[in-house]
Amino acid sequence: MADTALMSIPGQVDPVPAPREITPRADGRVDLMGLPRPRIAELLAEAGLDAKQARLRAKQVFHWLYHRGVTDFEAMTDIAKTMRPWLAERFVIGRPEVVEAQHSTDGTRKWLLRTADGHDFETVFIPDADRGTLCVSSQVGCTLNCRFCHTGTMRLVRNLTPGEIVGQVMLARDALGEWPKGRMDMPEEETAAEYSADGRLLTNIVMMGMGEPLYNFDNVRDALKLVMDGDGLALSKRRITLSTSGVVPMMARCGEEIGVNLAVSLHAVSKEVRDEIVPLNRKYGIEELLEACAAYPGASNARRITFEYVMLRDKNDSDEDARELVRLLKQFRLPAKVNLIPFNPWPGAPYECSTPERVRRFSDIVFEAGISAPVRTPRGRDIDAACGQLRTAAEKKSRAERDRESTESA
Ligand code: SAH
Ligand code: SF4
């Protein structure tokens, strides 16, 4: 595919285009979404509060913002009535703009969202019997061009800000109606149950939407800190998984500074095949990647690393591939589980999904070697919400337009 030939593999760590300043709002107010407590305090001090007041108010605003999901300063009942309009004049608490909300026949929900500067990205919610997982995007598009991934064919790429990342979780909680009830100024009304993940629909987060999270490390870390903060969204790091295609130099920091579960998009066991389907492999090879996995802080038999493996017909799905996978995982003594993902097709994709018999056989070989290897059921295919299908409509249109233009000029 031409896209792959044109690709330049990003340099040492993080040369992704266009991190940006927060887009200023036309009304001059500052959006607090995505900001940490100390930054909120700074802004309040800049607006005129003395340092002690600013710290106290920042703590209160932070709690209402991230723990209660409140977007209106008037609802912040422990803040003086006169103070609330003062805040509302200077600040807002935003949400990503929803362009479209879709509901799959299997219960999966997808939101097409738009940034203030007009870029589209997506978030997917996947309900299961025992959990509900939100699949969060870290970038608009992706620089990495894995050949089986639709997101990788997107031209536009920019890092999402912490506010845009945590905003996806906030929006899902809004839509699912899952903010804790009770009033902060009457804490005795609250019961523990209202604060626990039990009984909630949204229980887990995976950084598996659009983009490569380790190429947007700082913003992903800052957003996930808000998600994990006990006074913020208060989700345990054990319920959060970050998936990387193998940005080796950032993996240790991911474990140390974020501490979430790791998933690695391995997808192939030979240099030849992985170079082809995950071009980043030309930069960080399989051995280097598996060494980084073996050294991942916090990995243990109780917290295993997930190896994702997309099943591509006649490409990476033979018995030998399965046996080599087992050998590699054992050689590097990895506390591992394998997640077999049937390839989700998209228009023009250069691969097909392995047959169900092949997938089962592959899974059996890995299971028989003592490594868990469930097959992931594709979810939300009818609304293009399944793994690797995310690619925003706006971008599709611009590409179609470009194609038409190039045909016309030819
Ligand atoms: N960029 C990160 C996270 C996002 S992709 C990464 O690559 O890990 C989430 C998962 O979906 C990855 O394992 C990715 O390889 C897989 N995937 C991408 N395209 C797919 C497709 N068409 N069918 C099935 N899985 C796909
Ligand atoms: Fe990017 Fe992940 Fe898709 Fe590869 S699989 S192109 S790293 S989003």
Side-chain angles (χ1 to χ4, degrees), residues 142 144-146 148-149 151-152 211-212 245:
C142 184
L144 286 174
N145 301 67
C146 297
F148 50 83
C149 175
T151 306
E212 168 50 58
S245 55

Side-chain angles (χ1 to χ4, degrees), residues 23-336:
T23 309
R25 290 171 50 91
D27 64 8
R29 293 188 292 174
V30 175
D31 191 350
L32 298 179
M33 173 59 74
L35 302 184
R37 235 174 319 233
R39 181 65 192 137
I40 297 175
E42 250 171 48
L43 288 168
L44 293 175
E46 281 166 25
L49 297 189
D50 70 50
K52 189 159 165 262
Q53 270 283 325
R55 264 201 312 278
L56 170 68
R57 298 298 171 210
K59 190 170 183 303
Q60 292 170 315
V61 169
F62 185 93
H63 177 91
W64 286 109
L65 200 172
Y66 297 113
H67 198 79
R68 303 296 184 124
V70 159
T71 52
D72 179 1
F73 294 102
E74 267 315 311
M76 302 185 177
T77 47
D78 61 340
I79 294 180
K81 265 202 163 69
T82 48
M83 179 97 207
R84 296 178 214 159
W86 183 89
L87 285 166
E89 266 169 41
R90 290 162 180 82
F91 304 104
V92 292
I93 298 169
R95 289 286 191 272
E97 179 195 343
V98 179
V99 180
E100 195 181 2
Q102 284 174 283
H103 222 129
S104 161
T105 48
D106 70 12
T108 301
R109 297 169 71 155
K110 181 168 92 168
W111 292 276
L112 174 63
L113 307 175
R114 183 163 297 161
T115 65
D117 59 345
H119 295 309
D120 291 354
F121 61 107
E122 291 174 328
T123 303
V124 177
F125 177 70
I126 307 141
D128 276 305
D130 60 339
R131 65 171 68 182
T133 306
L134 191 71
C135 183
V136 171
S137 292
S138 56
Q139 301 180 305
V140 176
C142 184
T143 47
L144 286 174
N145 301 67
C146 297
R147 284 200 77 198
F148 50 83
C149 175
H150 208 192
T151 306
T153 67
M154 280 180 69
R155 183 176 46 105
L156 264 179
V157 177
R158 105 152 153 69
N159 285 333
L160 292 175
T161 63
E164 289 158 352
I165 297 168
V166 75
Q168 298 170 59
V169 187
M170 311 277 292
L171 188 104
R173 275 220 176 147
D174 290 348
L176 299 167
E178 293 207 297
W179 293 107
K181 295 169 211 75
R183 288 171 51 183
M184 181 158 144
D185 53 351
M186 294 182 190
E188 66 278 8
E189 276 191 3
E190 295 170 0
T191 66
E194 286 169 336
Y195 282 91
S196 70
D198 305 328
R200 283 216 185 126
L201 291 169
L202 200 174
T203 60
N204 291 58
I205 290 180
V206 292
M207 295 301 303
M208 294 187 188
M210 295 164 80
E212 168 50 58
L214 294 189
Y215 271 154
N216 186 15
F217 183 81
D218 291 356
N219 291 351
V220 167
R221 176 199 54 209
D222 293 352
L224 289 180
K225 290 235 170 259
L226 299 170
V227 172
M228 294 185 288
D229 191 316
D231 198 31
L233 285 143
L235 216 81
S236 156
K237 64 180 184 179
R238 285 165 203 282
R239 292 185 172 274
I240 304 174
T241 300
L242 182 147
S243 174
T244 181
S245 55
V247 185
V248 168
M250 299 308 289
M251 284 168 57
R253 282 187 67 194
C254 176
E256 283 155 13
E257 296 178 36
I258 314 180
V260 292
N261 304 320
L262 184 70
V264 172
S265 293
L266 189 62
H267 303 316
V269 291
S270 72
K271 175 168 168 51
E272 191 201 349
V273 177
R274 196 162 192 271
D275 275 357
E276 176 191 322
I277 66 178
V278 185
L280 185 65
N281 194 64
R282 298 174 208 158
K283 194 170 190 80
Y284 311 115
I286 293 175
E287 307 240 309
E288 210 182 327
L289 174 58
L290 295 180
E291 269 164 26
C293 290
Y296 186 71
S300 67
N301 276 326
R303 285 186 82 193
R304 287 173 291 167
I305 296 174
T306 303
F307 289 89
E308 294 159 286
Y309 200 97
V310 64
M311 298 300 295
L312 304 174
R313 185 172 183 167
D314 298 332
K315 181 49 73 180
N316 64 355
D317 62 353
S318 69
D319 287 3
E320 294 76 67
D321 288 321
R323 283 193 281 269
E324 177 61 6
L325 176 60
V326 168
R327 193 194 67 74
L328 282 170
L329 297 178
K330 296 209 161 161
Q331 182 195 333
F332 286 87
R333 298 167 181 276
L334 290 161

